Amino acid sequence: MSKSYRFKAGDPWRVVPFMLLGAVLQGGLAIGVSAADSLFISNIGSDQLPVIYACMPLLMVAYISAYTRILNRWGIDRLFVATIGVLVVGGFGFAYLLRAEAPSDSIYYIAMFYGSLWYIALYSLLWNFIDGFFDLSEAKRLFGLIAGGSAVGAIVGGFLVSTLSGIMGVAWLFGVWATSVLMALPIVWWIVRNVPRVVGDDGGEPADGNVSLKDTLRHVLGSRYVTILTLVIFMVSVAATLCEFRYYTIFEEHYPDEQALAGLFGQLYAGVNLFNLVVTLFLFRVMVRWIGVRNVAIIQPVVFLLVFGFMILNGGFAAALFGFVAFQGVMTSIEYNNQNLLFNVLPERGKEATRTFVEGICDPVATACAGIFLIGAQHLFSDTGLSGVGFGVSLVCLILVLVLRVEFVKSMILNVRRSWLDFSRTERLQSLVRPTDLAFLRGRADDVQAAERERLAAMERLWHLDPVDTVGRLLDFFPHMSPALHDDAVELLDRILLSDNPKVIDRCLTWAEVNGAGCDPLVLEYFGRQRLVPIEVGRARVRSADP
């Protein structure tokens, strides 16, 4: 595994805390969602699930509004801690209310809304928090391990549901959920204090107060990539909701008792998350490396096509199990993990708020559309007819993903160009770098005794902090470096000049006027292509005895 993930020296102490965090949160979520689902289906009925689906956007609009305001005011770290507090109080509160003599139907509805809310919101919040500690290259390498930790937690949570539901009753599982979430608090505190963030991330500080819901909508509609990604997530969510409704209906027919149903859900969650563990640890990275992020996105629509095709041909318990694995297995271990990588190439401005909007609003709106359809359709369509609708939705989703494949590359290239042209980036980086670190980099870049690659690496880091000074160092270094480094050095010079910083261009022109007549031929050739060589210098070099 160490070879597969290409571990670096500092990786374990950075990754393990996030694996533990995902484990306790996902384990608790598996327990709480199993309890809410089994209580609702047994006491209210699966035929009322479309009401839950249809009302979710109202709940999520309120959540997103509060989330955006608190994020802007507190920052992601304090928001994460506050969410843990809410989950602890809510879990113990529902454990108390549901153990009453005869809970009213409204309590079951509220408990189902509560579980559905955090099933969506907690996942988005967790990965927004994690995103601040890993760049895209690290994400591709290490996110599978972090998701694997979440899968282990869900496996343990599933076994606890199967064991504890028969001992203490289903209602007390909400208290177990609260206890699991409480265990996340010291892990979060340790991460915030000890794990370094990606340079330029402001996760510990309040977010930009100007990122309002209106700005977020502008970001979504102003980027073709974000628009297509939103539509893909929408259609995947519609297909997933139809799939969930179908397998819940089948499970209710076979397990009418709440404890038996909770036990089934516990076993299913344990089994499907064992599948998730294997996929996230050993297969997901291989798929991303071999076929790429944009091609992995094709898998979920294809799996849903197979599920609904199976349900059309055979709508029995086996088809329900296949649907459960497609939703809770493939969607969790492949689709959601791949979405994390798709979100990594969102435009940087308003990235967190945009992601929260897409996940927090798009998912529930899609679920609501499916719910509104199901409220009437379950009485008009047969089970086979509903499966046929799901097949059609999955086909549309597959077409959208094929379009997304093209937009993914365009968005990634655009982000790189924006980072080159972001003049405010230097100021942000300088505020995060200590003077001693800057002095060390400059010393290493000028150290003639140091290895050439170390000197070039120091300059590569310096140009983000002081491009004007760095370009002069790099040009002076060219005559002394070995030919093996020429390509890397020219690439670095390209990146510096492509920033179109007027001060950098002026520094190059000044350097060429002073040193052009006797400078390294490679630099002179490069400057000639860029039209940075003064006419007098070029004429003198051409007329010299050794041009």
Side-chain angles (χ1 to χ4, degrees):
M1 185 182 295
S2 176
K3 182 178 179 181
S4 174
Y5 282 89
R6 292 178 289 133
F7 279 134
K8 298 179 181 178
D11 281 346
W13 73 269
R14 291 183 65 204
V15 174
V16 170
F18 292 102
M19 293 177 67
L20 293 175
L21 180 62
V24 296
L25 290 179
Q26 190 65 32
L29 194 62
I31 294 169
V33 170
S34 296
D37 289 353
S38 59
L39 287 168
F40 184 87
I41 292 173
S42 299
N43 293 279
I44 304 299
S46 62
D47 60 323
Q48 295 302 307
L49 282 172
V51 176
I52 301 294
Y53 299 151
C55 295
M56 275 304 294
L58 298 176
L59 182 61
M60 291 308 301
V61 165
Y63 167 77
I64 293 300
S65 178
Y67 174 94
T68 303
R69 290 177 180 272
I70 298 173
L71 177 64
N72 291 338
R73 182 171 297 180
W74 289 0
I76 190 71
D77 294 347
R78 282 185 284 178
L79 175 59
F80 202 86
V81 172
T83 301
I84 291 174
V86 170
L87 287 168
V88 171
V89 173
F92 285 120
F94 279 110
Y96 172 77
L97 293 173
L98 290 166
R99 283 183 58 81
E101 186 70 25
S104 65
D105 289 353
S106 62
I107 298 298
Y108 292 113
Y109 274 98
I110 294 172
M112 187 67 179
F113 278 122
Y114 180 82
S116 300
L117 165 67
W118 291 115
Y119 183 80
I120 299 170
L122 190 60
Y123 187 90
S124 176
L125 181 63
L126 172 63
W127 285 101
N128 261 340
F129 177 73
I130 293 174
D131 274 348
F133 297 87
F134 300 91
D135 60 27
L136 180 59
S137 63
E138 290 177 319
K140 288 183 178 181
R141 197 166 52 86
L142 300 173
F143 272 17
L145 284 174
I146 298 172
S150 298
V152 171
I155 292 171
V156 175
F159 281 121
L160 287 176
V161 170
S162 300
T163 304
L164 298 179
S165 60
I167 297 175
M168 61 174 56
V170 179
W172 267 118
L173 294 178
F174 278 94
V176 179
W177 182 10
T179 303
S180 175
V181 172
L182 188 60
M183 294 168 59
L185 193 57
I187 302 175
V188 172
W189 282 340
W190 191 92
I191 289 173
V192 169
R193 286 166 171 74
N194 295 280
V195 181
R197 294 182 182 275
V198 174
V199 175
D201 184 86
D202 299 325
E205 300 298 326
D208 185 356
N210 294 324
V211 183
S212 62
L213 187 58
K214 182 179 179 180
D215 293 328
T216 301
L217 285 172
R218 188 181 298 114
H219 294 151
V220 172
L221 299 176
S223 166
R224 181 178 171 85
Y225 173 74
V226 178
T227 302
I228 299 298
L229 178 60
T230 302
L231 290 174
V232 168
I233 294 175
F234 180 90
M235 296 306 295
V236 168
S237 297
V238 171
T241 303
L242 295 173
C243 178
E244 182 184 52
F245 179 76
R246 289 290 295 117
Y247 71 65
Y248 271 148
T249 302
I250 297 171
F251 288 153
E252 184 185 14
E253 295 173 358
H254 290 78
Y255 293 86
D257 177 70
E258 69 180 38
Q259 290 189 0
L261 192 57
L264 171 67
F265 286 151
Q267 294 172 4
L268 290 177
Y269 272 112
V272 80
N273 280 287
L274 182 59
F275 166 84
N276 292 344
L277 180 64
V278 173
V279 172
T280 52
L281 288 182
F282 303 106
L283 298 181
F284 179 71
R285 278 194 68 259
V286 175
M287 289 188 292
V288 170
R289 187 172 68 246
W290 283 0
I291 65 177
V293 173
R294 59 197 186 120
N295 292 320
V296 171
I298 298 174
I299 294 175
Q300 189 65 50
V302 171
V303 170
F304 274 145
L305 285 171
L306 295 175
V307 167
F308 287 115
F310 190 15
M311 287 183 174
I312 291 172
L313 298 175
N314 177 9
F317 192 76
L321 289 178
F322 188 17
F324 185 88
V325 172
F327 186 15
Q328 303 292 344
V330 177
M331 196 159 176
T332 299
S333 60
I334 297 178
E335 176 64 15
Y336 285 159
N337 286 337
N338 198 57
Q339 282 181 12
N340 289 320
L341 301 179
L342 293 173
F343 279 121
N344 254 305
V345 298
L346 288 176
E348 287 298 327
R349 179 171 173 79
K351 181 177 180 179
E352 286 186 354
T354 302
R355 173 172 183 165
T356 301
F357 174 85
V358 172
E359 290 185 322
I361 293 294
C362 182
D363 269 356
V365 168
T367 303
C369 291
I372 293 171
F373 168 78
L374 287 170
I375 288 174
Q378 64 178 319
H379 304 295
L380 299 175
F381 288 82
S382 65
D383 291 342
T384 302
L386 290 176
S387 299
V389 173
F391 188 91
V393 170
S394 302
L395 188 59
V396 172
C397 182
L398 178 60
I399 294 171
L400 287 171
V401 168
L402 295 178
V403 177
L404 183 71
R405 293 177 69 255
V406 178
E407 296 302 322
F408 176 84
V409 176
K410 294 180 180 178
S411 180
M412 186 165 57
I413 293 172
L414 188 60
N415 276 350
V416 171
R417 289 176 177 172
R418 282 173 179 160
S419 68
W420 285 342
L421 297 175
D422 184 6
F423 298 134
S424 66
R425 178 178 173 87
T426 298
E427 296 178 3
R428 292 201 307 271
L429 289 175
Q430 286 175 342
S431 68
L432 296 169
V433 176
R434 295 174 298 181
T436 53
D437 295 333
L438 190 60
F440 172 80
L441 289 173
R442 285 172 174 162
R444 180 62 66 176
D446 295 336
D447 186 1
V448 294
Q449 303 298 325
E452 291 183 351
R453 287 199 176 275
E454 289 184 13
R455 295 183 65 185
L456 188 62
M459 294 180 199
E460 189 171 4
R461 286 154 179 78
L462 271 174
W463 86 267
H464 292 293
L465 303 167
D466 189 354
V468 177
D469 181 66
T470 303
V471 76
R473 279 186 165 84
L474 180 59
L475 292 171
D476 290 337
F477 182 43
F478 263 98
H480 309 290
M481 70 175 66
S482 59
L485 279 184
H486 282 170
D487 289 344
D488 293 336
V490 169
E491 182 183 351
L492 176 57
L493 188 58
D494 265 332
R495 278 185 281 167
I496 299 175
L497 292 178
L498 281 172
S499 67
D500 285 342
N501 186 332
K503 293 182 180 179
V504 169
I505 303 299
D506 183 66
R507 178 72 177 86
C508 289
L509 289 171
T510 304
W511 187 93
E513 289 176 359
V514 176
N515 303 287
C519 73
D520 184 90
L522 183 64
V523 175
L524 186 65
E525 178 186 354
Y526 180 87
F527 273 17
R529 291 200 306 269
Q530 301 294 329
R531 294 177 172 82
L532 293 174
V533 182
I535 296 176
E536 295 79 6
V537 172
R539 184 182 297 118
R541 189 63 177 264
V542 169
R543 293 176 177 176
S544 67
D546 184 19

